[in-house]
Amino acid sequence: MNYYSTTFKAKCPVNGAEIKYDLRITTNSMIKVEDLMDELALLDTVFHEEAADQLYRVFGGLQELNAFHHGVHIRTVRGQA
């Protein structure tokens, strides 16, 4: 089992607020760090749930994405280990 975790920032499409995200991926596959960073760079302005869907489409596995937006904790879980 492989475990990947990182943080990244993206802007809210509604008001442009910068949001810090915490991402964790658990997978039997290998994810190249460069591929992960390239994909995160594409998430410049995105809704949280859309970011989770996109990352799951690309990397699969079991993913958890957490962020606080205006004091609201948003947690999405996608997939299976």
Side-chain angles (χ1 to χ4, degrees), residues 8-11 13 19-26 31 36 39-40 42-67 74-80:
F8 66 98
K9 294 179 181 175
K11 293 178 186 167
I19 303 167
K20 179 183 171 192
Y21 292 90
D22 293 307
L23 172 66
R24 291 188 300 209
I25 302 174
T26 303
I31 297 174
L36 179 58
E39 194 64 34
L40 295 177
L42 296 174
L43 301 175
D44 179 57
T45 302
V46 67
F47 287 109
H48 184 112
E49 297 81 0
E50 292 173 346
D53 292 341
Q54 176 63 20
L55 292 167
Y56 181 69
R57 275 192 295 276
V58 174
F59 299 111
L62 175 63
Q63 299 187 23
E64 183 175 324
L65 185 62
N66 286 279
I74 303 171
R75 175 180 177 252
T76 57
V77 177
R78 300 287 189 268
Q80 301 176 11

Side-chain angles (χ1 to χ4, degrees), residues 26-40:
T26 303
T27 180
N28 285 319
S29 301
M30 180 185 75
I31 297 174
K32 293 180 184 175
V33 170
E34 295 80 5
D35 292 342
L36 179 58
M37 300 311 291
D38 287 347
E39 194 64 34
L40 295 177

